[in-house]
């Protein structure tokens, strides 16, 4: 008997049929991957299962019995636990306090029994190899450990069906490895897991079975052994997808960005960019690789005027821009695809058309004097939305209601449609689905070929390798090395990212290559 | 995460009627609920009704009738006090048509005139706070800015003698706006430059304004004679009234409506408003896209202060024409409620101000005819604000579908 | 939803009809009081005036109402409301209503008005009638109710001089206006008279008639100001304080009660009763019987003896006085009591005057 069975689940929102008669089964002790692009209906389905939404139709069976789930507490009672993509933890509390929130055990009728909970956390932690200190404060824990705290919360509530919503979106490659190990331990000890994702490689690596959703419908359940990434991708997207970036040899021209002896402190006063010098030429992509948190963010901020630099010079097309305002820098022809699109890139409660002109609203033809020219803004936005494939009912829709991929396309459309000399793209495809990644990669190469200098910052090594012509590796605020992309191996970059610069770099195969993107 | 429902477009573009209804539903029900609870309070505090309820099981009808009578008398006189006595208006119309004498008719409109007179400073002050909200700033200092604006315009109004009205009146209005703008810009500048929270600073500025006005009215600005009031302003600085005494409705009301349109235009039709709204909704994105947070903060606080200043200016030039202690009935504080009720939209603020204006104005008659203290209006206003600020209560009370609305009012938290 | 709105509109219409039809047209004599910003519960002017109206309701069979003013623009509006109701006598409280009262009175000669603490003519040379001031001559249908509070304050000053242990007494006002400073002047005179009689040198802090200046809180609201003023007076050595600033004085009373370092003298009403929480530090109170004056005005208006002009209430007719000593009765020496009583008699028969003492 399956531990969990969903039958004909249907849920409509105004204007959207989010789930259209979806059925799936979860067997005892297996990892079922729920694969689908953003917007395919995965999250809605899981929210229904967890009691956050009420389905319009369909039923949920837990161990063969009809489960009446109206709210999360019902789901917990049925042994269903959810690990959300965005953690529901209170940073200033300890692990123990976070775990006991909502079900605080009491001793002597009055006092919180922290010890009891801590004991239980240690037990769970040992049983499943989670390695979490119950007395640590959540704010001090790395992201991967915070996720394990979420898992402990679920296990503490005695769940045997675990739902993980995009659990790898926030993790480093090493942390992903660790998570997979934990998931294997969990199923070995009798838990069953639904693993929601849109990343093909992960699915191939971990799932026992894969249920693919597309456009609110289930398009089939497959076994990884019968599949390869291409097949899965086309099942998920509904058409043939190219998983490689086709690009010609770069034809670099004059120098567009020149950075000399740059030093930057972060908000806390730490020196995070420590003497960096580099240049980017028109018509080439310089990729900056490196583990997150090695100063890439602050480097970009200082290039775009969001953070003052301590010393050093930055020139764009020969003009000094260090420590000038963001607007001045924009006006020099610099485009910035920000790392955090929701924080910097968009005003989520603005409609699409306003976001499309967020950097140019004050210029002709969008403004005459101080008066906004709405017709121009609308016409341009509609044109851009079409041109850049932003999928939306209209440009009047608030940006916040769109999927991550479509939000990113708004930013791409806005930044790429301006006359620009330098494109700074920071984590341009983070958290996006296959289709969007493919699209954005092609656009970046297109910009390069138009003669724009591109500075690409990404923590995805495969993305760096796929797009860059030269690669700089950043470690602890410094560039360890800058190497031509054509003659470098992943292993060599890996060493550089760890701060090691071998005297004799291993020889790399020469000639043009295409590198598979990690999806 | 597109599974979320597609949100209706916000009010920037002409929205469909259904969306207007959606936007008005909660405030309207909040007002209704406030009135109902007000009625309950009226019944509880009514002696006759209380006596009747003492004998509820003996004669339940009497209790109900007494309740009805208490509420009907109170709210009836409130309505008549707000809009006028229908009998007198019809009678006045009759005289107007039969004899061409409009005086009776105009006289019957006195309550309506008073409602609009009260609404005038409410509109200005509500716009002031709403504009701040739009930029993510909480201007609690509207009252102080109003004080300074009032005193500045009164000073220009009485001290300059012999000017023609078309110079004197604009000068007096400008002085009021500038006075308020200065009082708003100071906390704005402190916020932008030092990060000092505007709530704290505007409250401080309020106290400075109150004490400063005490001093000015007892000293430099005191009229001859013993009373601590300013001299009367010159006729050339008066905002003309539309009718003869006692109707006090004047050009200030028209100015207020123009200001509302002006704020709407500024917010939604200009690059300045685009920046203000961006800064309010997402300061990080605003900075990213090249907008200056510092400039916008100072600008919005100055504009907000100017509007508050105009609230007092319109009142002193149009209605009072002199300034004494306690000249404001707390317009600047009620303004916060107005901005909330009006969802920080100029049209919403105007509607909310008209509502508060009529309530406040009608309350005079209710106080006299039904013996209900004027404070009941404050209670009703307070209830309305609670319900608007916590729409969940209203949704639960009326079993409304829970449609998540993305808020336009987003006051940034403490810290920088 | 529709049902709710339909029901509401029905309710509205019904209530309008009810009030429109049921308008009471009783022929009772109507009195309306318009308060100033203090409100009806200010434990001072407005409350005292309303007491007079209430007494008239009980004893003269008139109907009384009041309207509270919340802002400056309410004065004219509230007067207008009473005019609309054909009120026979409108009582306005305080100088802030001076111009609006005069305007309404001149426009409605049939209606009688009484104004507390104000009188016409109130214009000064060069003032514009109807704008800067109410009227440049008496108004036939307005009775100004004024009080010789300096006479009562004189007695309080004499008493304070006799009771002080430190040889220093103090007074302060709300604002530097005649209705306030008249108390302070009388108080100073009383102390001076005591010094003249006894050859002592009791000092008065906070007011000097010759300089026409003294200490003022600047408002009639802030009890905090009352606290800090009392504290600084005590520091300067005063042990009896006469605050002439309405509720501000309660802050001073609170300081005296908490520290036990001082006593207060109440004003307007008998604080022993109206501010009973401080009764153990209230030496006496300077009574300004607004209620008596208002009652008189109602009585005259009702029985037809009402005449415009000014009615000044003095120690002679009992309109001003000092309150009983209450708990301090045993602490005030019989000798001092007799002297105060003698001074009162002298003030009544005119052999002693406040100005006369000050002039010496």
């Amino acid at each position: 008997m399956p531990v969990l069975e969903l039958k004909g689940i249907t849920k409509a929102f105004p204007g959207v049929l989010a789930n259209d008669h979806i059925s799936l089964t979860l067997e005892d002790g297996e990892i079922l991957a729920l694969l689908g692009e953003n917007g395919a209906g995965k999250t809605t389905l899981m929210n229904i299962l967890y009691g956050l939404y009420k389905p319009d139709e369909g039923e949920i069976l837990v161990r063969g019995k009809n489960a009446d789930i109206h709210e999360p507490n019902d789901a917990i009672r049925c042994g269903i636990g959810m690990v959300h993509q965005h953690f529901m933890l209170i940073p200033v509390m300890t692990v123990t306090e976070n775990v006991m929130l909502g079900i605080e055990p009491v001793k002597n009728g009055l006092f919180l029994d922290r010890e009891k909970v801590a004991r239980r956390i240690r037990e769970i932690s040992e049983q499943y190899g989670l390695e979490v200190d119950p007395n640590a404060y959540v704010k001090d824990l790395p992201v991967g450990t915070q996720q394990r705290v979420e898992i402990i919360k679920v296990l503490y509530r005695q769940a045997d069906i675990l739902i993980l919503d995009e659990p790898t979106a926030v993790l480093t490659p090493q942390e992903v490895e660790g998570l997979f190990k934990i998931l294997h331990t969990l199923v070995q000890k009798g838990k069953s897991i639904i693993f929601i994702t849109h990343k093909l490689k992960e699915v191939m690596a971990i799932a026992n079975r894969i249920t693919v959703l597309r456009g609110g419908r289930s398009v089939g359940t497959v076994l990884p052994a019968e599949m390869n990434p291409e097949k899965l991708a086309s099942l998920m997207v509904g058409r043939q997808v190219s998983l490689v970036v086709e690009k010609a040899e770069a034809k670099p021209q004059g120098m567009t960005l020149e950075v000399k002896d740059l030093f930057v402190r972060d908000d806390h006063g730490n020196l995070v960019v420590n003497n960096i010098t580099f240049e980017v030429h028109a018509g080439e992509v310089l990729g900056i690789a490196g583990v997150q948190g090695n100063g890439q963010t602050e480097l970009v901020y200082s290039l775009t005027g969001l953070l003052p630099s301590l010393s050093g010079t930055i020139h764009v097309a020969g003009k000094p821009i260090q420590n000038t305002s963001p607007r001045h820098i924009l006006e020099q022809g610099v485009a910035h695809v920000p790392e955090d699109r929701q924080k910097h890139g968009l005003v989520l409660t603005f409609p699409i058309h306003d976001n499309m002109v967020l950097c140019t609203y004050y210029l002709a033809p969008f403004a005459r004097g101080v008066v906004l020219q709405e017709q121009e803004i609308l016409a341009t936005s509609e044109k851009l939305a079409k041109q850049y494939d932003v999928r939306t009912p209209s440009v009047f829709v608030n940006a916040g209601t769109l999927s991550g991929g479509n939000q990113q396309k708004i930013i791409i459309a806005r930044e790429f449609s301006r006359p620009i000399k330098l494109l700074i793209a920071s984590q341009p495809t983070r958290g996006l689905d296959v289709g969007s990644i493919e699209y954005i990669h092609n656009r970046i190469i297109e910009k390069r070929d138009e003669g724009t200098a591109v500075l690409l910052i990404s923590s995805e090594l495969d993305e760096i390798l796929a797009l860059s012509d030269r690669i700089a590796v950043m470690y602890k605020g410094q560039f360890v090395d800058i190497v031509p992309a054509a003659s470098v191996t992943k292993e060599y970059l890996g060493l550089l990212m760890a701060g090691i610069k071998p005297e004799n770099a291993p020889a790399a195969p020469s000639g043009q290559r295409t590198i598979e993107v990690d999806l | 995460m597109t599974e979320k429902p597609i949100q209706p477009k916000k009010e920037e573009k002409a929205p469909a009627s259904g969306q207007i209804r959606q936007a008005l539903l909660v405030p309207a029900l909040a007002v209704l609920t406030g009135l109902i609870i007000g009625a309950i309070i009226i019944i509880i505090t009514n002696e006759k009704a209380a006596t009747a309820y003492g004998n509820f099981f003996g004669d339940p009808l009497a209790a109900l009738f007494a309740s009805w009578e208490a509420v009907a008398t109170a709210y009836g006189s409130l309505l008549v006090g707000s809009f006028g006595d229908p009998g007198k208006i019809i009678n006045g119309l009759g005289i107007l048509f039969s004899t061409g004498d409009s005086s009776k008719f105009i006289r019957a409109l006195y309550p309506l005139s008073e409602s609009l007179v009260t609404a005038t400073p409410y509109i200005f002050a509500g716009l002031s706070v709403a504009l701040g909200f739009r930029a993510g700033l909480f201007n609690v200092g509207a009252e102080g800015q109003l004080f300074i604006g009032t005193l500045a315009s009164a000073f220009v109004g009485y001290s300059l003698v012999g000017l023609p009205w078309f110079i004197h009146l604009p000068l007096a209005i400008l002085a009021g706006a500038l006075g308020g703008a200065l009082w708003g810009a100071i906390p704005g500048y402190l916020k932008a430059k030092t990060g000092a929270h505007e709530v704290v600073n505007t409250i401080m500025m309020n106290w400075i304004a109150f004490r400063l006005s005490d001093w000015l009215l007892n000293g430099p600005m005191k009229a001859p004679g013993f009373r601590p009031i300013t001299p009367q302003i010159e006729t050339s600085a008066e905002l003309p009234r539309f009718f003869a005494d006692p109707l006090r409705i004047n050009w200030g009301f028209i100015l207020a409506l123009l200001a509302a349109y002006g704020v709407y235009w500024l917010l939604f039709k200009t690059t300045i408003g685009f920046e203000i709204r961006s800064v309010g909704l997402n300061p990080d994105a605003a900075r990213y896209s090249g907008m200056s947070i510092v400039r916008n903060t100072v600008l919005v606080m100055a504009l907000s202060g100017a509007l508050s200043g105009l609230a007092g200016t319109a009142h002193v030039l149009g209605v009072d024409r002199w300034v004494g202690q306690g000249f404001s009935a707390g317009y600047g504080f009620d303004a916060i409620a107005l901005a909330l009720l009006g969802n920080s939209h100029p049209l919403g603020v105007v509607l909310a101000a008209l509502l508060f204006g009529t309530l406040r104005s009608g309350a005079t008659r209710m106080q006299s005819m039904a013996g209900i203290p004027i404070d009941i209006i404050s209670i009703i206003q307070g209830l309305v604000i609670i319900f608007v600020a916590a729409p969940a209560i209203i949704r639960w009370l009326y079993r409304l579908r829970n449609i998540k609305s993305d808020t336009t009012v987003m006051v940034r938290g403490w810290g920088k | 939803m529709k049902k709710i709105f339909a029901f509401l509109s029905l309710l509205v219409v019904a209530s309008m009809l009810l009030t429109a039809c049921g308008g009471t047209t009783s022929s009772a004599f109507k009195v309306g009081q318009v308060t100033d910003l203090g409100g009806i519960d200010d434990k001072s002017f407005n409350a005292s005036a309303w007491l007079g109206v209430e007494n008239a309701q009980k004893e003269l069979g008139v109907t009384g109402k009041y309207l509270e003013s919340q802002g400056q623009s309410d004065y004219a509006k509230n007067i207008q409301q009473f005019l609309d109701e054909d009120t026979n006598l409108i009582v306005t409280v305080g100088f802030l209503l001076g111009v609006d009262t005069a305007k309404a009175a001149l426009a409605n000669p049939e209606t009688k008005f009484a104004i507390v603490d104000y009188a016409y003519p109130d214009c000064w040379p060069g003032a514009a009638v109807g704008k800067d001031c109410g009227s440049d001559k008496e108004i036939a249908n307005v009775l100004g109710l004024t009080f010789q509070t300096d006479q009562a304050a004189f007695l309080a000053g004499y008493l304070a001089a006799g009771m002080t242990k430190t040889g220093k007494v103090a007074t302060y006002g709300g604002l530097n206006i005649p209705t306030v400073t008249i108390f302070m002047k009388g108080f100073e005179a009383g102390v001076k008279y005591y010094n003249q009689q006894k050859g002592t040198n009791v000092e008065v802090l906070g007011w000097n008639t010759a300089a026409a200046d003294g200490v003022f809180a600047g408002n009639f609201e802030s009890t905090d100001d009352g606290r800090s003023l009392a504290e600084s007076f005590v520091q300067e050595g005063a042990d009896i304080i006469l605050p002439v600033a309405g509720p501000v004085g309660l802050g001073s009373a609170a300081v005296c009660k908490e520290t036990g370092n001082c006593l207060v003298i109440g004003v307007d009403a008998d604080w022993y009763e109206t501010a009973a929480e401080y009764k153990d530090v209230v030496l006496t109170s300077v009574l300004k019987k607004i209620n008596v004056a208002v009652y008189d005005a109602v009585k005259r208006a009702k029985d037809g003896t009402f005449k415009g002009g000014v009615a000044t209430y003095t120690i002679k007719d009992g309109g001003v006085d000092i309150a009983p000593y209450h708990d301090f009765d045993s602490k005030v020496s019989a000798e001092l009591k007799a002297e105060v009583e003698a001074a009162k008699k002298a003030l009544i028969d005119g052999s002693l005057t406040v100005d006369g003492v000050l002039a010496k």
Side-chain angles (χ1 to χ4, degrees), chain A residues 381-425:
Chain A
S381 307
E382 266 156 18
K383 198 185 79 197
L384 287 176
K386 208 165 285 161
Q387 191 183 336
Y388 286 83
D389 193 31
V390 180
R391 301 205 184 146
T392 169
S394 84
V395 292
F396 297 110
V397 165
N398 283 355
T401 64
L402 299 182
S403 68
N406 281 311
Q407 290 180 357
Q408 191 74 347
K409 283 181 195 164
I410 298 176
I411 298 173
I412 300 279
R414 178 181 72 211
E415 296 301 304
F416 284 30
S417 60
R418 289 192 283 134
I420 54 169
K421 297 185 193 119
L422 171 67
L423 166 64
I424 300 175

Side-chain angles (χ1 to χ4, degrees), chain A residues 185-364:
Chain A
T185 317
L186 285 167
V187 288
Q188 269 163 28
K189 308 225 167 173
K191 307 284 179 193
S192 314
I193 294 172
I194 297 179
F195 185 96
I196 303 174
T197 188
H198 62 259
K199 294 194 179 172
L200 302 173
K201 278 194 173 170
E202 289 177 0
V203 173
M204 298 294 288
I206 191 147
N208 298 106
R209 291 187 306 131
I210 306 164
T211 297
V212 184
L213 297 188
R214 187 172 75 226
R217 292 195 193 137
S218 167
V219 291
T221 299
V222 295
L223 298 176
E226 306 163 345
M227 284 282 134
N228 62 35
E230 278 79 12
K231 273 193 194 164
L232 264 182
S234 45
L235 204 55
M236 182 164 111
V237 182
R239 61 181 165 87
Q240 282 296 317
V241 187
S242 160
L243 296 182
V244 294
V245 182
E246 304 284 353
K247 57 169 186 172
E249 194 87 44
K251 299 181 192 68
Q253 286 141 26
M255 204 190 292
T256 302
L257 172 68
E258 188 187 10
V259 177
K260 245 191 203 150
D261 309 326
L262 190 68
F263 290 81
V264 181
R265 281 192 202 282
D266 68 7
D267 288 340
H268 308 292
N270 305 316
L271 191 65
V272 284
V273 174
N274 186 1
N275 195 4
I276 280 188
T277 299
F278 68 97
E279 69 270 354
V280 187
H281 296 266
E284 73 158 353
V285 178
L286 175 69
I288 298 182
V291 178
Q292 269 263 267
N294 274 292
Q296 299 98 315
T297 305
E298 289 80 4
L299 172 63
V300 170
Y301 283 0
S302 70
L303 294 181
T304 51
L306 294 172
L307 196 65
S309 57
L310 217 54
S311 70
T313 59
I314 307 168
H315 287 82
V316 170
K319 282 189 192 146
I321 58 153
Q322 69 272 12
N323 292 334
T324 57
S325 71
R327 170 145 302 168
H328 176 78
I329 294 172
L330 287 175
E331 285 173 348
Q332 303 310 308
V334 177
H336 177 197
V337 177
E339 171 182 315
D340 187 336
R341 61 177 157 270
Q342 303 207 334
K343 185 182 178 198
H344 284 115
L346 296 166
V347 179
L348 293 176
T349 40
F350 267 3
I352 292 173
H353 60 76
D354 282 349
N355 276 298
M356 284 284 190
V357 296
L358 202 59
C359 300
T360 49
Y361 63 92
Y362 63 99
L363 298 170

Side-chain angles (χ1 to χ4, degrees), chain B residues 367-391:
Chain B
Q367 191 185 189
S368 172
M369 301 302 286
I372 310 255
I374 206 159
D375 307 289
I376 191 88
I377 294 300
S378 304
I379 294 176
I380 292 174
Q381 280 178 353
L383 288 167
V384 170
I385 296 319
I386 290 172
F387 293 138
V388 168

